Each structure stands twice: as structure tokens, then as C-alpha cells.
């Protein structure tokens, strides 16, 4: 797993876009409608570079050679009363790599980095009934409820979204 800085994100935006299009066009709800074309996915990743440079977003990628197999990100809020928490966003695993534990490793990477950064609370949202729910529940995340018709699935159908949280123990480095 590699944490990408701004330059790396921009340099690897093409392969990150390939992962994003595979994820969306494969039916995963990560904020886009299908079919997602590569140009839109590329522009989306390039727009994240400023947030990475400013420390508002941390992005990790798992590679197999030059190919990105998965990503996960943490979004850090700017409000002073929110610095103890972060949002887990864009956990994606390429379709032909799913079921081999990469999602769990990406999740553990983000959780560990959050703890090292002094973050004690993580939250996320995911499509209710999606395969991702099993991952989050089995990794100790707690569902707090679902919002009906929260987001459109890649095929445009309004679907409920479940909100999860997880307390992250502080590491010895942050105590």
C-alpha cells in the first residue's frame, strides 16, 4: 500500500481513473452514474490533488506493477471541533481482484493511519445492502441507520444509504 502525495496522484491519475471506471461500471455506488467514461474519472482524480497537497485528503493505492488494484481515502474536516474524526471515502477494489482480502487490507491501512494521525473516530456511508456492508460489519464498524433514497446507484435508481462509524484507539505515537 502506498500513500500518494500530490505529484504521485497526478502521475498515476490515469490508472486511478481506470479503477474508478471499473468500479462504477461494475455497479458499485461510489458517487457516479454508469457508464462512467475515463475522461470524467480522470478529471475527478486530478481535482483531488489540491486536497491531497493541503492535507485535507489522504489517498492510498494498492498496485500490481503499474496497475492500481484498489484505493482508500480519508477525508479530514477543516472545522476545529472536528479534528478528532475523519471520513473513510472511496474504498474501491477492481472487480477481478475482489474476494481476496484487498478491501480488508485497504480498510486496515486507513484505520491505522487514522490512529497514527490522532483521529479517534471514523465514519462512512455505503449503499444499503451492498457487498461493502459485510466488510464494514466484519471489521467492527457499527451501523447507526439508513437514509432512504439517499443516492442514485450507478444505474440511476435511488437507493438507501447506511451510515457507519468506528472508534479508533489512539496509538502510542499520539498519546
Amino acid at each position: 500500500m502506498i500513500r500518494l502525495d500530490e505529484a504521485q496522484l497526478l502521475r498515476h491519475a490515469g490508472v486511478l481513473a481506470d479503477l474508478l471506471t471499473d468500479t462504477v461500471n461494475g455497479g458499485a455506488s461510489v458517487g457516479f452514474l454508469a457508464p462512467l467514461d475515463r475522461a470524467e474519472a480522470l478529471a475527478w482524480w486530478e481535482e483531488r490533488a489540491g486536497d491531497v497537497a493541503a492535507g485535507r485528503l489522504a489517498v492510498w493505492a494498492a498496485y500490481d506493477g503499474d496497475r492500481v488494484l484498489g484505493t482508500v481515502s480519508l477525508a479530514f474536516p477543516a472545522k476545529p471541533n472536528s479534528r478528532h474524526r475523519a471520513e473513510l471515502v472511496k474504498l474501491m477494489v477492481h472487480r477481478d481482484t475482489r474476494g481476496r482480502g484487498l478491501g480488508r487490507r485497504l480498510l486496515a491501512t486507513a484505520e491505522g493511519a487514522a490512529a497514527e494521525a490522532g483521529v479517534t473516530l471514523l465514519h462512512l456511508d455505503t449503499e444499503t445492502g451492498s457487498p461493502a456492508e459485510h466488510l464494514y460489519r466484519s471489521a467492527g464498524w457499527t451501523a447507526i441507520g439508513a437514509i432512504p433514497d439517499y443516492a442514485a446507484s450507478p444505474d440511476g435508481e435511488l437507493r438507501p444509504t447506511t451510515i457507519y462509524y468506528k472508534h479508533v484507539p489512539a496509538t502510542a505515537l499520539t498519546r
Side-chain angles (χ1 to χ4, degrees):
M1 230 61 61
I2 299 169
R3 182 172 175 174
L4 304 178
D5 62 23
E6 177 188 22
Q8 291 168 315
L9 188 143
L10 289 170
R11 195 168 46 253
H12 297 239
V15 290
L16 291 164
D18 293 339
L19 173 65
L20 180 56
T21 57
D22 173 77
T23 301
V24 172
N25 295 338
S29 182
V30 291
F32 298 88
L33 297 176
L36 178 63
D37 70 23
R38 189 171 190 276
E40 183 180 353
L42 180 63
W44 185 84
W45 275 110
E46 289 171 343
E47 290 168 5
R48 308 282 76 75
D51 288 335
V52 168
R56 292 184 297 266
L57 183 69
V59 178
W60 290 266
Y63 290 88
D64 180 15
D66 292 335
R67 185 172 170 232
V68 175
L69 302 179
T71 65
V72 66
S73 299
L74 289 175
F76 300 98
K79 299 174 189 167
N81 71 343
S82 306
R83 302 246 163 84
H84 66 288
R85 64 179 161 91
E87 182 178 8
L88 187 112
V89 294
K90 301 296 184 270
L91 175 58
M92 297 182 279
V93 174
H94 197 281
R95 281 184 279 182
D96 64 10
T97 307
R98 292 182 190 153
R100 300 181 195 163
L102 179 57
R104 186 166 304 281
R105 289 192 307 275
L106 287 161
L107 187 57
T109 295
E111 290 174 3
E116 289 177 11
V119 170
T120 58
L121 180 67
L122 292 172
H123 63 97
L124 64 85
D125 65 81
T126 193
E127 183 179 329
T128 304
S130 70
E133 281 200 291
H134 173 73
L135 171 63
Y136 299 130
R137 288 180 192 270
S138 68
W141 288 70
T142 302
I144 60 171
I147 303 170
D149 299 336
Y150 184 78
S153 63
D155 65 5
E157 178 186 347
L158 290 179
R159 301 277 301 138
T161 293
T162 302
I163 310 298
Y164 285 84
Y165 75 91
K166 185 174 187 177
H167 286 283
V168 179
T171 67
L173 296 174
T174 60
R175 289 186 190 150

